[in-house]
Amino acid sequence: MIHADFSSLVTGLILALTAATLIAGGLRRWGVPEGTSILVETLFTRINTWWAMVVLLSLAAFFGRGGVVVLFAILSFAALREFLTLTAKRRADHWVLMFSFFVALPLQYIFVAAGWIGLMTIFIPVYAFLFLPVLAVLRGDTSGFLTRVAETQWGLMLCIFAASHAPALLWLEIPDYSHKAILLIAWLTIVVQAADVAHFVAPRIMGRHRIAPAVPHSRTWEGLVGAVLIGTALGTLLWWITPFNTWQAMLMSATVSLVGYGGGMVMGAIKRDKGVRDWGHLIPGQGGFIDRLDSVVFSAPVLFHLVRFFWAAG
Amino acid sequence: MIKSAAAVIVGHAITLFIRLVTAPRAIWAGTEPVPRQRVYFANHTSNADFVLIWAVLPGFLRRNTRPVAASDYWLKNRLRAFAGRDVFKAVLINRDPEARAEDEDPVARMIAALDAGASLILFPEGKRNLTDTPLLEFKSGLYHLARKRPDVDLVPTWIDNLNSVLPKGEVVPVPLICTVTFGPPVHIARGEDKASFLGRAHDALEALAKGGEG
């Protein structure tokens, strides 16, 4: 599982993060005093989260494909809990919630771990989709029925289905690459995280023109351009850890950055609709798991299917 | 000896379990977690309500905080009696005035617990609220406490979402995030009558519900 390329990537990441931590610490100490610059403070908390990501992914990789599946199952669980906390529900939805947490989530990850890619890609969109409203209607409470069912299904699709495509990348049979497919998960995470932080930094340097009036003010054209540029640049530079050549890596990272950006906007719109600032409080200083994973969740299925179609054998 | 050790272990286990399931967050809005004698009065939607308050209180406050609970529920069998009396050290109240013995006056029991130095968790609605209104009318117990021990802080405590975690009649809890909001303490004014004080306390608690995430 631990491939030489993975080790050198992790070493590189640790060096980069150490440098980033030192620079941010130095800025805080001598340049901008603690708590005065939102830019520095945000970067500081981001860097801490990246450390956690590197440690978690390396640990998971150490335990092989199973470790990665367990890691993403836990992340799915945390994200689903945040999502379903905010969705519309009534007392009659208890069975539906039990089904989501205790049946749909474990089954989906069991299918991934067993490598049943066909079943994994239809279980939630077909079977859970049709079964869940039946379970809801059995309890006999029809007020707000469609809203309740639809919002729960959204949670299942995003937090379980879409998220599970990241570990599923490990089961694609890519010629000369399958044994180091964990690098593809690392690549996806790096590209999306870089795009994410560029979206935050770019408007503060280049000014801001909002994309749409009602979406959160942090979503600007400058942010979009910055996110796609930085995501694409980094994704292309890292072509050597992917099954792609340089121009393919460029196209793929541009796609992933764009889709991820769209995901961040969508999740922001849901937060605004529900009247909350963050999805949760479990990651200190940055809200919940969904706040950090929204763009990964959106881009993982797209990456999975593009790679499956163009690169995977059989 | 063995029983009290078991009670401490079970107490930690229950707190850990509820933390894992509900990832609860305490929001101290207008009051601080400091060791003062307090009566936390909260909305009541689930049997696990006081466990959640207990779980979000810092350890040094939790050890000295006792829930006020119904004896007909907590003495029903030996397991519940162990949980109620030994683990949570509940102040048990007989809810049925007809069947009350001489020494079972609820207010007197709560006052005795306060005078022994404990803080209390009290559900002034008197029973679980299963209606769509956010908060039922308060019973008079809170008023009697406020009048007899006017120095004790009465802290409004709003529990959010626990009724979705474990609705009445369900056995298996689902993991959803809960919050507990502690508001600014309420005190009785000199000569304030029962209706006006209970109304004020009721409004203070309801205001926390509307504040929500804030």
Side-chain angles (χ1 to χ4, degrees), chain B residues 50-207:
Chain B
F50 73 79
V51 187
L52 187 68
I53 298 182
W54 222 52
V56 299
L57 285 177
F60 64 96
L61 295 182
R62 186 189 311 148
R63 275 191 285 282
N64 209 17
T65 303
R66 302 174 62 185
V68 178
S71 57
D72 53 290
Y73 180 86
W74 286 101
L75 295 181
K76 203 164 211 167
N77 56 46
R78 288 180 61 183
L79 190 68
R80 279 190 196 171
F82 172 70
R85 266 203 299 239
D86 297 297
V87 178
F88 304 123
K89 302 193 170 55
V91 179
L92 293 173
I93 298 284
N94 189 341
R95 281 192 292 193
D96 181 4
E98 310 282 306
R100 256 179 222 153
E102 196 93 332
D103 64 339
E104 283 192 322
D105 177 49
V107 175
R109 288 207 160 184
M110 289 190 268
I111 295 287
L114 283 177
D115 290 346
S119 288
L120 299 179
I121 298 171
L122 181 67
F123 301 104
E125 294 165 282
K127 58 171 187 249
R128 275 181 287 163
N129 175 10
L130 303 170
T131 66
D132 281 335
T133 44
L135 197 58
L136 303 174
E137 289 293 306
F138 282 4
K139 305 266 185 208
S140 57
L142 188 66
Y143 165 74
H144 295 304
L145 282 186
R147 222 171 37 121
K148 290 190 171 146
R149 293 293 176 271
D151 292 339
V152 176
D153 279 353
L154 307 176
V155 178
T157 304
W158 184 263
I159 299 171
D160 193 35
N161 225 12
L162 194 58
N163 52 336
S164 311
V165 170
L166 191 65
K168 186 177 186 173
E170 302 291 343
V171 185
V172 183
V174 293
L176 297 170
I177 297 170
C178 295
T179 55
V180 180
T181 311
F182 300 92
V186 179
H187 291 101
I188 196 163
R190 193 181 288 270
E192 188 172 14
D193 68 10
K194 190 166 100 177
S196 119
F197 170 75
L198 287 179
R200 215 153 52 79
H202 188 278
D203 292 348
L205 184 50
E206 207 169 25

Side-chain angles (χ1 to χ4, degrees), chain A residues 77-78 80-82 84-86 89-91 94-95 97-98 101-102 139 275-282, chain B residues 19-25 130 132 161 163-168 170-178 213:
Chain A
F77 172 82
L80 187 67
R81 179 163 69 177
E82 288 170 0
L84 292 185
T85 295
L86 290 186
K89 58 189 145 328
R90 294 170 63 82
R91 255 160 68 197
H94 202 70
W95 288 356
L97 294 171
M98 280 169 63
F101 282 106
F102 305 135
R139 294 290 292 263
V276 296
R277 209 165 56 85
D278 292 318
W279 282 100
H281 60 283
L282 289 180
Chain B
R19 276 171 188 275
L20 285 179
V21 172
T22 70
R25 172 167 51 150
L130 303 170
D132 281 335
N161 225 12
N163 52 336
S164 311
V165 170
L166 191 65
K168 186 177 186 173
E170 302 291 343
V171 185
V172 183
V174 293
L176 297 170
I177 297 170
C178 295
E213 282 282 289

Side-chain angles (χ1 to χ4, degrees), chain A residues 30-43:
Chain A
W30 293 292
V32 225
E34 191 163 348
T36 52
S37 159
I38 189 165
L39 190 66
V40 175
E41 291 307 313
T42 307
L43 287 179

